[in-house]
Amino acid sequence: AVLLAVDLVEKAIQENPSLNLGAATGGTMEPIYGELARRVKKGSISLRNIKTFQLDEYFPIAPTHPQSYRSFLMKHLVETTDASPENLYVPDGAASDPAAACEEWERIMCENPIALQLHGIGVNGHIAFIEPRKNPTREIFSMRTSLEELTFSTLQSNSRFFKPGEVQPTRAITVGMGTLLESVAHFVLVAFGKEKSAAVARVAASRLGLVFAGPKRGATRPVRGDGGSGHLELSASFKFVDV
Ligand code: PGA
């Protein structure tokens, strides 16, 4: 599954060595960045000229905090490959005015269309930190970058990364679904483990799955879930793959 995701990144970079890559963080991404680093070392791929744009950042958090997403990407992507720290873009989790930071992030995303967006999914179905709504409406599809309250489920799931004594922020600046749908050409959703299968199947069956896989994004066939069997591990550009 990791190889398949990294193959897509490699192919996209071969086509355009200075593309904008949508980055994500979390446990799912660690083996993906590990494989990317191996290929950079081997010389089959270079990230020197690519720009990476992260989906979200905790708020408030210092950029140098070990659990900030900027630190994660520095550790797993920049320090292990030839990617340049100047080409790493992350929402400002330390901004004194978070509303202004959200607006600034919208501007950055608008000016830098993403060729390929790597992303995971939360156990509760969140994409980036866009938390599921009790009563979702169509507005979710036009949502812009905003400061989002994290749900109990997300806080619980991500608490594993925080060491005793490290304060876990309860909010995050996250791109909106509208931001993503307007700026991203191709999505590569990766999810491991039985506990994610229900969330992946829900996305696949929802309008979101259809939007992600629409003709504009060049998907080769309609999305399909795994019926919650728990063996779904990877979807590539919404061409779902059971492995
Ligand atoms: P995880 O997070 O990879 O740490 O499970 C994924 C996500 O929340 O999108």
Side-chain angles (χ1 to χ4, degrees):
V2 167
L3 299 182
L4 185 49
V6 179
D7 283 350
L8 290 169
V9 176
E10 182 169 343
K11 187 164 167 277
I13 294 177
Q14 273 162 1
E15 280 166 17
N16 178 4
S18 55
L19 63 73
N20 293 334
L21 178 70
T25 50
T28 310
M29 291 298 137
E30 288 185 24
I32 291 183
Y33 295 143
E35 176 60 21
L36 258 180
R38 265 187 292 282
R39 294 191 195 188
V40 169
K41 244 176 229 123
K42 220 173 61 186
S44 60
I45 190 174
S46 170
L47 308 184
R48 192 168 302 120
N49 296 317
I50 69 154
K51 287 185 186 167
T52 55
F53 297 84
Q54 163 63 11
L55 290 166
D56 45 20
E57 176 61 286
Y58 286 116
F59 185 87
I61 200 160
T64 51
H65 188 289
Q67 302 314 327
S68 78
Y69 286 160
R70 176 172 286 279
S71 294
F72 179 101
L73 289 169
M74 285 299 293
K75 180 173 168 196
H76 294 282
L77 193 65
V78 175
E79 286 164 15
T80 53
T81 71
D82 58 352
S84 153
E86 287 86 62
N87 287 340
L88 179 62
Y89 293 80
V90 183
D92 184 2
S96 54
D97 180 350
C102 292
E103 259 179 53
E104 171 66 1
W105 193 251
E106 273 299 309
R107 187 189 63 73
I108 289 173
M109 292 296 282
C110 186
E111 287 174 4
N112 295 279
I114 306 293
L116 191 77
Q117 176 69 56
L118 285 171
H119 68 104
I121 187 167
V123 173
N124 70 352
H126 69 212
I127 285 169
F129 267 140
I130 307 162
E131 298 285 27
R133 272 43 180 173
K134 267 208 187 89
N135 300 304
T137 61
R138 280 172 166 267
E139 271 81 75
I140 190 109
F141 293 105
S142 49
M143 191 183 145
R144 319 312 315 184
T145 301
S146 58
L147 188 62
E148 185 90 345
E149 289 288 337
L150 302 178
T151 59
F152 179 70
S153 143
T154 296
L155 291 171
Q156 203 176 31
S157 161
N158 286 6
S159 63
R160 70 192 195 275
F161 297 114
F162 287 80
K163 296 194 181 66
E166 284 180 348
V167 177
Q168 183 180 9
T170 58
R171 292 178 293 169
I173 293 178
T174 179
V175 289
M177 207 48 88
T179 325
L180 284 179
L181 295 173
E182 281 166 33
S183 27
V184 174
H186 295 284
F187 293 92
V188 180
L189 164 60
V190 186
F192 298 121
K194 197 172 168 55
E195 69 280 7
K196 298 269 180 86
S197 66
V200 174
R202 258 199 340 267
V203 167
S206 74
R207 180 164 172 254
L208 183 60
L210 294 173
V211 172
F212 272 5
K216 194 177 146 209
R217 286 166 219 287
T220 51
R221 62 186 158 108
V223 294
R224 145 178 103 70
D226 74 335
S229 69
H231 300 299
L232 191 70
E233 281 198 355
L234 175 80
S235 70
S237 298
F238 281 87
K239 218 174 108 185
F240 276 54
V241 180
D242 279 306
V243 287

